[in-house]
Amino acid sequence: MEAALSQVDNAKDFLSMGGLQLVIEGLNSSEASLKEHAAFVLGAALSSNPKVQIEAIEGGALQKLLVILATEQPLAVRKKALFALSSMLRHFPYAQQQFLKLGGLQVLRSLFRQKGMEPLHVRVVTLLYDLIMEKMLLEDSQQEEQMEEKIQQYQQVRLVPAVVEQGWCALVPNLLAMPEHDTREKVLKLVGVLVAFCREHYRGDPALGTTLSLLRSEYEELAAQEQREGDKDGYFRELLGSIDTIIQELR
């Protein structure tokens, strides 16, 4: 049943049967496993489904998900709550606006101060990157008139100023110390987008300069090895390109 919910038609049937409100109520359960299950089902139903997104936000799902993320909960429960939150916010500027109003960024930031929440850090970084890019791409594109309304909605989402004000400029680069290439790739993407807004902070951060130099040396070597093996446009070459772009921007 859970896998089927990610299919739009099934999610619509589920909605018309009043299932959504039941799932939202499940987010209040005192049973961790029920709460986790409810968040997973909600996330699957929300995925790329505007009608469910609207119904869910009207049903109070956003507040409930933020409460789960802000309170003492097992990692598995918070993981699913973050999945549901991501599905609710993507391509839905009204929800993004409400998220900011309800202090959602502070809630996500608090996950970085708690032990045992490290697996969520890269998911938060990916979500922020996707939301910032989503807005930038829409505002830059030459869309037809029907998109005008959506562009106006996005203009009211003050995501980047909130990110800068709340200290994410300092927080995000710290994650470059993580050993996994995949994590670094996602962090570099977000740092690359934030450079334009955090430039002064980054220029005044000697630790970031050192980290970027060390990563550059590491990926230069890995990219060279990749090339020797016949992979001219490899993964490490791409990461090296991201680092070079950031270093260039900070000169």
Side-chain angles (χ1 to χ4, degrees), residues 96 128-143 151 154-155 157 159-160 189-190 192-197:
Q96 293 173 24
L128 289 181
Y129 172 77
D130 289 349
L131 295 180
I132 292 170
M133 286 307 292
E134 186 184 293
K135 183 180 178 185
M136 287 168 107
L137 290 170
L138 187 77
E139 287 173 349
D140 288 349
S141 61
Q142 305 298 310
Q143 296 282 3
I151 291 169
Y154 272 105
Q155 280 165 350
V157 179
L159 179 61
V160 170
K189 277 183 172 177
L190 184 55
V193 172
L194 290 178
V195 161
F197 312 100

Side-chain angles (χ1 to χ4, degrees), residues 149-170:
E149 188 188 343
K150 194 146 201 184
I151 291 169
Q152 283 171 351
Q153 288 173 353
Y154 272 105
Q155 280 165 350
Q156 286 163 32
V157 179
R158 311 276 298 141
L159 179 61
V160 170
V163 162
V164 174
E165 275 161 31
Q166 291 177 34
W168 290 85
C169 291

Side-chain angles (χ1 to χ4, degrees), residues 34-223:
L34 265 174
K35 206 179 280 194
E36 182 188 344
H37 197 70
F40 178 79
V41 173
L42 179 64
L46 285 164
S47 205
S48 310
N49 196 331
K51 187 167 188 271
V52 181
Q53 284 177 313
I54 291 163
E55 292 273 344
I57 202 159
E58 285 174 354
L62 181 58
Q63 290 90 327
K64 288 179 170 56
L65 291 170
L66 289 175
V67 166
I68 290 174
L69 288 166
T71 52
E72 280 289 317
Q73 304 286 341
L75 175 64
V77 175
R78 279 168 155 179
K79 207 179 263 185
K80 295 295 190 292
L82 187 57
F83 161 62
L85 179 71
S86 301
S87 300
M88 178 180 269
L89 297 181
R90 283 193 169 93
H91 307 290
F92 189 15
Y94 175 72
Q96 293 173 24
Q97 218 182 328
Q98 295 308 305
F99 166 78
L100 292 175
K101 274 188 191 159
L102 292 166
L105 269 181
Q106 287 98 316
V107 170
L108 294 185
R109 208 178 182 301
S110 72
L111 296 172
F112 288 77
R113 288 193 289 271
Q114 293 162 35
K115 287 241 186 299
M117 292 296 132
E118 290 77 14
L120 298 184
H121 296 175
V122 72
R123 292 164 191 248
V124 170
V125 162
T126 304
L127 174 62
L128 289 181
Y129 172 77
D130 289 349
L131 295 180
I132 292 170
M133 286 307 292
E134 186 184 293
K135 183 180 178 185
M136 287 168 107
L137 290 170
L138 187 77
E139 287 173 349
D140 288 349
S141 61
Q142 305 298 310
Q143 296 282 3
E144 298 83 48
E145 279 174 32
Q146 71 251 34
M147 293 305 287
E148 294 235 333
E149 188 188 343
K150 194 146 201 184
I151 291 169
Q152 283 171 351
Q153 288 173 353
Y154 272 105
Q155 280 165 350
Q156 286 163 32
V157 179
R158 311 276 298 141
L159 179 61
V160 170
V163 162
V164 174
E165 275 161 31
Q166 291 177 34
W168 290 85
C169 291
L171 184 69
V172 174
N174 293 340
L175 300 176
L176 289 172
M178 305 274 257
E180 303 85 9
H181 300 303
D182 179 56
T183 300
R184 289 173 182 174
E185 178 197 2
K186 292 183 167 74
V187 176
L188 285 167
K189 277 183 172 177
L190 184 55
V191 170
V193 172
L194 290 178
V195 161
F197 312 100
C198 303
R199 190 175 274 113
E200 289 319 303
H201 179 89
Y202 288 164
R203 278 183 177 153
D205 180 0
L208 176 60
T210 307
T211 300
L212 289 171
S213 297
L214 288 169
L215 288 178
R216 193 179 188 285
S217 302
E218 184 183 337
Y219 287 120
E220 226 169 11
E221 213 168 293
L222 289 167

